[in-house]
């Protein structure tokens, strides 16, 4: 966290003439004393920071200064660029990405631009889905704007049983997990942080009311805890055709070759609609052996599906 804050402080100083310690303190939610220690750390790294005292005082970087190439290695910059390329298709516009790329390139001497750009393109990460709901794309844009402006949003949230509830929330973070977008936000109705799936949001509105960001745990750690508590191993048998797909969920050591040519697996499973959906998506190439109740529930769901197609 400190390293990220130092880079953010340095980037801000490169873009503005003079920034006060209190501005940084409010921006990052730390004390003014901590900001002064961060400035000292940057100075120790060789960044020529000028301190101006008085009412309009603050910090600035010596005019005409360019960051020495030793501060950011070629690999550091290549990693930043790779990250930008990988997320550009899902949440960042082309114009935004190009502006950011130019700012990053300005941190290093021009003679290194070509080699770094080539290095960054050695790895390409495409996280965009093959098929997508255009409504989700529009919802994503609105949520991004509310995040940037720290504005409260209001929406109807569709529950698992098709019931909806109105929610007023303070948005804090967008999370992409397995091609699904989630919003972590402080829910005013529940008075706690909740995670909302964007595909279930309806009638989204930005209220225009501002809020002060709260401390929160980043990412989907709450879901990881839930998964670890409910995850079990089940025994399944698959055909060779499913081997590659099964490796998306488990290690090869959990697989045993059978005399029949099929493969037995101790398969990680969470007893939920999502878990049964994974098993059903494998079709007739997969058979659940045990536990019995999982096998029986799978049969029940298959029979229910059969009734849909009389």
């Amino acid at each position: 966290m400190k390293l990220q804050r130092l880079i953010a402080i340095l980037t801000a100083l490169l873009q503005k003439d003079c920034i006060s310690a209190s501005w940084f303190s409010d921006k990052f939610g730390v004390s003014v004393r901590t900001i002064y220690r961060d400035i000292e750390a940057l100075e120790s790294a060789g960044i020529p920071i000028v301190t101006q005292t008085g009412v309009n005082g603050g910090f600035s970087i010596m005019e005409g200064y360019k960051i020495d190439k030793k501060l950011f290695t070629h690999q550091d910059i290549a990693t930043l660029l790779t990250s930008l390329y990988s997320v550009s298709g899902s949440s960042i516009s082309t114009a935004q990405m190009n502006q950011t790329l130019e700012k990053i390139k300005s941190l290093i001497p021009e003679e290194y631009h070509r080699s770094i750009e080539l290095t960054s393109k050695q790895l390409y990460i495409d996280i965009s889905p093959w098929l997508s709901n255009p409504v989700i794309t529009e919802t994503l844009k609105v949520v991004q704007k509310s995040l940037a402006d720290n504005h409260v949003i209001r929406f109807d949230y569709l529950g698992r049983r098709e019931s909806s509830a109105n929610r007023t929330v303070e948005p804090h973070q967008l999370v992409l997990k397995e091609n699904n977008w989630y919003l972590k936000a402080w829910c005013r109705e529940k008075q706690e942080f909740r995670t909302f799936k964007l595909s279930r949001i309806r009638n989204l509105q930005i209220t225009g009311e501002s809020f002060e960001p709260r401390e929160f745990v980043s990412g989907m750690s709450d879901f990881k805890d839930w998964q670890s508590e409910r995850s079990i191993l089940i025994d399944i048998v698959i055909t060779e055709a499913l081997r590659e797909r099964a490796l998306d969920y488990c290690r090869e050591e959990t697989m045993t070759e059978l005399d029949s040519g099929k493969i037995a697996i101790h398969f990680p499973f969470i007893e939920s609609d999502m878990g049964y959906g994974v098993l059903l998506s494998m079709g007739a190439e997969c058979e659940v052996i045990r536990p019995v109740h999982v096998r029986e529930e799978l049969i029940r769901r298959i029979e229910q599906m059969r009734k849909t197609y009389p």
Side-chain angles (χ1 to χ4, degrees):
M1 179 63 73
K2 179 177 179 180
L3 178 59
Q4 293 175 346
R5 191 171 65 247
L6 288 175
I7 293 175
I9 290 174
L10 181 55
T11 302
L13 289 174
L14 285 167
Q15 296 179 47
K16 296 185 178 182
D17 292 336
C18 186
I19 306 177
S20 68
S22 59
W23 186 90
F24 281 126
S25 175
D26 293 339
K27 175 74 173 176
F28 300 113
V30 297
S31 67
V32 171
R33 185 183 181 87
T34 297
I35 295 300
Y36 273 99
R37 285 198 294 265
D38 289 341
I39 295 297
E40 289 176 1
L42 290 172
E43 289 175 330
S44 299
I47 308 300
I49 296 177
V50 178
T51 302
Q52 302 176 30
T53 59
V55 178
N56 298 319
F59 307 109
S60 60
I61 290 183
M62 185 182 297
E63 188 175 351
Y65 174 74
K66 288 284 185 180
I67 295 180
D68 187 83
K69 63 180 182 294
K70 293 179 182 178
L71 182 64
F72 288 103
T73 66
H74 287 199
Q75 190 57 51
D76 290 335
I77 300 298
T79 299
L80 287 170
L81 294 178
T82 299
S83 299
L84 279 174
Y85 287 133
S86 68
V87 301
S88 62
S90 61
S91 61
I92 300 177
S93 69
T94 301
Q96 284 178 306
M97 185 184 75
N98 289 337
Q99 289 175 11
T100 307
L101 288 174
E102 290 305 313
K103 289 178 182 178
I104 290 177
K105 288 178 182 178
S106 71
L107 301 178
I108 55 174
E110 189 172 346
E111 60 264 27
Y112 293 98
H113 289 188
R114 177 64 177 165
S115 62
I116 287 176
E117 189 165 346
L118 288 174
T119 302
S120 67
K121 291 181 179 179
Q122 291 175 351
L123 175 64
Y124 183 79
I125 304 171
D126 187 353
I127 58 177
S128 60
W130 292 108
L131 298 173
S132 61
N133 184 341
V135 175
I136 296 177
T137 302
E138 291 304 313
T139 300
L140 182 62
K141 290 179 181 178
V142 176
V143 173
Q144 282 181 307
K145 179 171 175 52
S146 67
L147 280 167
D149 299 335
N150 286 340
H151 279 170
V152 174
I153 57 176
R154 186 179 295 117
F155 53 81
D156 294 325
Y157 193 67
L158 190 64
R160 293 184 180 277
R161 302 186 184 278
E162 300 300 318
S163 61
S164 63
N166 189 260
R167 292 283 182 262
T168 302
V169 306
E170 301 168 5
H172 280 67
Q173 185 179 60
L174 277 166
V175 180
L176 179 63
K177 178 72 173 175
E178 289 190 345
N179 288 336
N180 291 309
W181 282 103
Y182 298 87
L183 170 66
K184 295 201 72 169
W186 176 265
C187 179
R188 291 188 171 178
E189 282 75 19
K190 300 297 183 181
Q191 284 296 293
E192 63 181 5
F193 274 102
R194 289 292 181 96
T195 301
F196 302 93
K197 195 172 184 178
L198 260 59
S199 61
R200 295 181 184 173
I201 289 178
R202 303 287 187 273
N203 304 319
L204 175 61
Q205 296 178 334
I206 298 179
T207 66
E209 176 190 350
S210 299
F211 68 91
E212 287 295 323
R214 305 169 187 261
E215 291 291 332
F216 75 106
V217 178
S218 178
M220 302 288 275
S221 58
D222 48 348
F223 276 82
K224 289 180 181 178
D225 293 339
W226 175 81
Q227 287 176 335
S228 61
E229 290 174 2
R230 300 190 59 180
S231 180
I232 62 173
L233 288 176
I234 63 174
D235 293 327
I236 66 172
V237 173
I238 65 170
T239 64
E240 180 64 33
L242 278 182
R243 179 194 291 270
E244 184 177 344
R245 182 164 177 207
L247 288 173
D248 290 338
Y249 300 97
C250 58
R251 300 190 306 273
E252 195 142 18
E253 305 88 82
T254 65
M255 301 181 177
T256 303
E257 305 281 349
L258 302 177
D259 294 337
S260 62
K262 293 185 177 181
I263 305 168
I265 306 178
H266 295 305
F267 194 78
F269 176 72
I270 296 177
E271 221 167 325
S272 65
D273 287 340
M274 180 186 70
Y276 282 107
V278 170
L279 295 176
L280 287 169
S281 69
M282 295 184 181
E285 305 293 321
C286 170
E287 179 185 2
V288 174
I289 306 301
R290 52 186 167 270
V292 174
H293 77 275
V294 173
R295 180 184 175 93
E296 291 177 344
E297 173 60 17
L298 198 61
I299 292 172
R300 187 194 70 78
R301 289 175 181 244
I302 293 172
E303 291 176 345
Q304 190 66 34
M305 289 176 62
R306 181 67 184 87
K307 292 177 182 179
T308 306
Y309 301 95

